[in-house]
């Protein structure tokens, strides 16, 4: 027999074996929620549009209900859809679904020791430390609010330099959130022309672009073959390595100038924590985890906030009546002669509602950040084995048509009551919920409020198109949604 025949026979046997294993329930499929029948090896990937997975999952939920199973490649993934199922999975079963699955790719990028991809004790301690530090405990004299205000001031100066001529805001609105992270972790911000800063942003952007591509979403289903393929993900590893070596350099500088009684930033706080735990052999607070955590803060805190600002300004251009009301409120509560601060927010319900509505409407991270079961779980009447992936559809809450009538319409009224006060909603979970909810939520909300109010305090936004002609449909919906490119003029008021 020649090699070809052996190969074909071998593959056929493997195919039949996998088919039998899946259909007989031996593939741990036993009591998983219902779902479309998976093909061997590729699972249900033919039924999923990787250019907008959220839409495919919503369509599947119409057939299979609020809790169902899809196979992304060989891996079963439980999907929860709608308020009840999402709250049950993320809050009531918060501990059990608090894991992150770690692909060989993630392992090789030194990201397991940080916040986003860590598990178990490491995750608990890194999360606790980051939450505390980002809440301003121990960050020294300058509060996070002050750091954002400083950046907002510089952002406005930079926008002034456009002289009211048409510009694409992508670059500038990318610098500001990245610089806030720099200020928090490295103590200082950079000039927007600083070569080191530009390199850092370029590498972050490139990695974001690759990891958000539909191909990458497909590859995620086949982690073990990925490393044998040439291509972009190698570039991603190189970028991470470069960013990490820069972070390590900064950590060394910090170690040389550390004053235990005067922590300047996140890195100082961590070094102090390391010092306190130096006799603990089992301490999770090691340098590699600091590097990974700082890297995580950049990954999570740059493109997300930047895309929200970009998409937000685009929505404000499309809805000049909303912009006018926000600017009226800014004029009457803050005026022109001082910087907006977080205290103003409680006196600015319309602006607050508008920021909520921007986040609701754009639905930045439609499928949450995927979780994994840390143990065998009984969920409703199903048995979900340890290691099963979990996707919670945040779209299904943010665009719920009972909670937010006309969910596809941009309307700050979704967050206002009859007397014009802010109306909170339990469905508003753009940062997810439960034990693994976003560590940067407070930071992100502060940035969105301060950046948007500071911009609108200083400029009239002028569109190049009629509002009706402005296209607001995302150009990509992978892990996060990306708004279309556009231009506008910032006219000083
Ligand atoms: C995240 C983000 C991006 C990737 C992983 C986790 N949290 C943004 N916030």
């Amino acid at each position: 027999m020649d090699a070809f025949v052996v190969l074909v026979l071998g593959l056929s046997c493997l195919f039949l074996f996998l088919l039998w294993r899946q259909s007989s329930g031996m593939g741990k499929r036993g009591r998983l929620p219902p779902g479309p029948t998976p093909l061997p090896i590729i699972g249900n990937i033919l039924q999923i549009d990787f250019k907008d997975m959220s839409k495919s999952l919503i369509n599947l939920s119409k057939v299979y209900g609020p809790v169902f199973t899809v196979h992304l490649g060989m891996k079963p993934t439980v999907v929860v859809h709608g308020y009840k199922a999402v709250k049950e999975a993320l809050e009531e079963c918060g501990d059990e679904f608090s894991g992150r699955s770690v692909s060989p790719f993630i392992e090789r990028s030194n990201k397991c020791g940080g916040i986003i991809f860590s598990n178990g004790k490491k995750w608990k301690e890194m999360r606790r430390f980051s939450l505390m530090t980002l809440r301003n405990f121990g960050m020294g004299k300058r509060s996070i609010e002050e750091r954002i205000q400083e950046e907002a001031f510089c952002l406005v100066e930079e926008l002034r330099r456009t002289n009211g001529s048409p510009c694409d805001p992508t670059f500038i609105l990318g610098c500001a959130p990245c610089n806030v992270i720099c200020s928090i972790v490295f103590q200082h911000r950079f000039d927007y022309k600083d070569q080191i800063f530009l390199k850092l942003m370029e590498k972050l952007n490139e990695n974001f672009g690759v990891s958000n591509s539909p191909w990458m979403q497909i590859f995620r289903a086949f982690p073990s073959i990925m490393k044998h393929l040439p291509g972009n993900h190698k570039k991603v590893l190189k970028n991470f390595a470069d960013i990490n070596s820069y972070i390590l350099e900064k950590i060394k500088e910090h170690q040389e100038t550390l004053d235990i009684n005067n922590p300047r930033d996140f890195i100082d706080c961590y070094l102090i924590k390391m010092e306190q735990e130096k006799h603990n052999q089992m301490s999770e607070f090691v340098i590699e985890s600091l590097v990974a955590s700082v890297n995580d803060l950049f990954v999570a805190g740059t493109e997300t906030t930047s895309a929200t600002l970009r998409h937000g300004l685009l929505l404000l251009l499309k809805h000049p009546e909303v912009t006018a009301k926000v600017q009226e409120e800014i004029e009457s509560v803050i005026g022109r002669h001082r910087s907006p601060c977080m205290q103003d927010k409680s006196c600015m319900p319309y602006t607050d509602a508008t920021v909520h509505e921007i986040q609701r409407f754009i639905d930045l991270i439609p499928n949450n950040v995927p979780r994994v079961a840390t143990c065998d779980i009984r969920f409703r009447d199903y048995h979900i084995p340890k290691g099963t992936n979990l996707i919670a559809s945040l779209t299904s809450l943010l665009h719920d048509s009972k909670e937010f009538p006309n969910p596809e319409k941009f309307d700050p009224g979704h967050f206002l009551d009859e007397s014009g006060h802010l109306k909170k909603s339990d469905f508003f979970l753009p940062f997810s919920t439960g034990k693994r909810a976003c560590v940067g939520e407070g930071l992100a909300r502060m940035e969105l409020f301060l950046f948007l109010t500071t911009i609108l305090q200083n400029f009239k936004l002028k569109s190049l198109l009629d509002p009706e002609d402005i296209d607001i449909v995302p150009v990509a919906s992978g892990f996060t949604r990306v708004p279309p490119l556009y231009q506008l003029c910032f006219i000083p008021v």
Side-chain angles (χ1 to χ4, degrees):
M1 259 193 301
D2 67 13
F4 180 73
V5 178
V6 174
L7 186 69
V8 170
L9 273 177
L11 282 177
S12 313
C13 289
L14 180 68
F15 186 85
L16 288 172
F17 170 71
L18 288 168
L19 197 64
W20 166 76
R21 206 172 78 120
Q22 271 175 356
S23 60
S24 70
M26 285 192 42
K28 291 209 248 173
R29 215 180 123 68
R31 310 207 356 243
L32 279 172
T37 308
L39 291 170
I41 303 171
I42 64 170
N44 301 114
I45 67 165
L46 300 178
Q47 279 138 301
I48 291 183
D49 174 6
F50 284 89
K51 289 207 187 83
D52 192 349
M53 199 159 137
S54 173
K55 208 181 200 171
S56 303
L57 297 183
I58 283 173
N59 288 334
L60 286 170
S61 85
K62 287 178 189 149
V63 182
Y64 298 100
V67 181
F68 60 95
T69 306
V70 288
H71 284 71
L72 302 177
M74 317 255 276
K75 279 229 120 226
T77 297
V78 171
V79 180
V80 285
H81 183 275
Y83 183 77
K84 273 197 64 170
V86 168
K87 292 282 263 198
E88 247 174 85
L90 300 185
E91 291 180 4
E92 284 160 51
C93 300
D95 254 335
E96 295 92 325
F97 281 127
S98 70
R100 233 21 128 211
S101 97
V102 178
S103 66
F105 180 67
I106 297 294
E107 241 159 53
R108 284 194 300 160
S109 61
N110 176 41
K111 287 195 124 305
C112 302
I115 309 162
I116 302 178
F117 292 106
S118 54
N119 278 302
K121 175 167 170 272
K122 166 77 83 190
W123 164 65
K124 284 212 169 79
E125 301 212 7
M126 291 303 120
R127 177 180 176 86
R128 224 172 96 80
F129 171 80
S130 312
L131 272 174
M132 291 276 286
T133 310
L134 292 179
R135 276 190 199 135
N136 258 325
F137 292 111
M139 279 260 292
K141 292 187 205 73
R142 280 171 76 226
S143 68
I144 291 189
E145 182 175 355
E146 274 167 43
R147 293 174 208 239
I148 301 171
Q149 284 171 318
E150 175 191 22
E151 194 58 41
F153 182 84
C154 298
L155 170 64
V156 161
E157 288 311 296
E158 202 65 27
L159 291 173
R160 242 182 251 297
R161 286 190 199 120
T162 63
N163 284 319
S165 48
C167 73
D168 171 351
T170 309
F171 172 72
I172 296 179
L173 295 179
C175 291
C178 186
N179 238 343
V180 169
I181 304 293
C182 288
S183 175
I184 289 171
V185 299
F186 302 143
Q187 184 211 359
H188 61 83
R189 65 177 298 281
F190 290 93
D191 189 273
Y192 291 173
K193 292 194 187 62
D194 187 293
Q195 285 305 310
I196 290 180
F197 180 65
L198 292 176
K199 271 274 174 251
L200 173 65
M201 287 238 303
E202 191 184 303
K203 288 171 197 293
L204 284 167
N205 284 337
E206 191 172 34
N207 279 8
F208 172 78
V210 173
S211 30
N212 209 37
S213 71
W215 274 111
M216 203 62 167
Q217 314 293 314
I218 299 174
F219 278 155
R220 251 190 264 285
F222 307 99
S224 50
I225 60 165
M226 206 167 97
K227 63 168 171 262
H228 303 295
L229 297 172
N232 287 340
H233 57 283
K234 299 246 160 88
K235 182 86 198 171
V236 172
L237 288 176
K238 166 87 168 70
N239 285 339
F240 273 139
D242 291 347
I243 295 170
N244 284 349
S245 74
Y246 179 68
I247 294 172
L248 193 57
E249 212 179 285
K250 295 299 267 185
I251 293 173
K252 289 195 175 128
E253 276 175 37
H254 277 66
Q255 284 173 316
E256 281 156 20
T257 53
L258 180 69
D259 171 359
I260 295 204
N261 300 311
N262 275 315
R264 299 157 291 186
D265 51 30
F266 187 93
I267 291 180
D268 275 358
C269 292
Y270 193 100
L271 293 174
I272 292 169
K273 184 87 182 167
M274 268 178 76
E275 185 62 26
Q276 290 163 353
E277 298 215 351
K278 71 176 172 209
H279 299 298
N280 177 0
Q281 297 273 305
M282 309 290 285
S283 175
E284 299 293 350
F285 291 86
V286 293
I287 291 288
E288 297 82 78
S289 283
L290 173 55
V291 173
S293 296
V294 169
N295 193 313
D296 282 347
L297 292 178
F298 279 111
V299 167
T302 298
E303 174 58 24
T304 45
T305 308
S306 166
T308 307
L309 292 169
R310 251 151 53 217
H311 216 152
L313 287 188
L314 184 61
L315 288 164
L316 292 172
L317 286 174
K318 185 151 184 89
H319 299 273
E321 70 291 352
V322 173
T323 314
K325 281 197 208 170
V326 172
Q327 286 182 311
E328 224 170 85
E329 203 173 55
I330 292 170
E331 181 76 34
S332 78
V333 174
I334 307 170
R336 304 229 172 133
H337 304 297
R338 67 168 178 88
S339 296
C341 63
M342 289 316 290
Q343 261 202 328
D344 295 322
K345 193 167 80 160
S346 55
C347 313
M348 301 172 70
Y350 191 83
T351 305
D352 200 0
T354 302
V355 178
H356 277 79
E357 179 65 356
I358 289 170
Q359 288 202 270
R360 183 199 72 79
F361 185 85
I362 71 169
D363 183 25
L364 182 71
I365 305 187
N367 291 318
N368 203 359
V369 187
R371 308 274 190 95
V372 77
T374 56
C375 54
D376 291 355
I377 307 174
R378 255 196 93 79
F379 183 72
R380 298 202 169 175
D381 270 333
Y382 306 113
H383 173 79
I384 297 172
K386 176 176 174 171
T388 307
N389 290 318
L390 176 85
I391 284 181
S393 166
L394 299 180
T395 311
S396 70
L397 276 65
L398 297 175
H399 286 239
D400 181 290
S401 60
K402 283 208 195 71
E403 181 71 5
F404 304 111
N406 290 321
E408 307 312 319
K409 184 174 183 301
F410 177 78
D411 175 11
H414 284 131
F415 293 95
L416 291 166
D417 66 15
E418 305 77 42
S419 46
H421 295 123
L422 185 76
K423 182 173 74 181
K424 295 217 165 123
S425 165
D426 290 340
F427 286 61
F428 182 74
L429 297 179
F431 297 99
S432 187
T433 181
K435 295 231 162 76
R436 199 127 202 177
C438 185
V439 169
E441 167 166 0
L443 173 65
R445 293 178 77 163
M446 230 190 265
E447 287 187 58
L448 294 177
F449 179 79
L450 293 174
F451 285 148
L452 288 172
T453 51
T454 312
I455 291 171
L456 293 177
Q457 178 191 41
N458 287 279
F459 302 100
K460 258 176 77 85
L461 309 179
K462 192 170 133 230
S463 172
L464 307 188
L465 299 173
D466 265 349
E468 306 89 77
D469 299 331
I470 297 177
D471 183 9
I472 54 169
V473 178
V475 288
S477 296
F479 170 65
T480 77
R481 297 195 197 272
V482 179
L485 288 175
Y486 62 98
Q487 294 199 324
L488 81 165
C489 307
F490 294 92
I491 313 288
V493 294

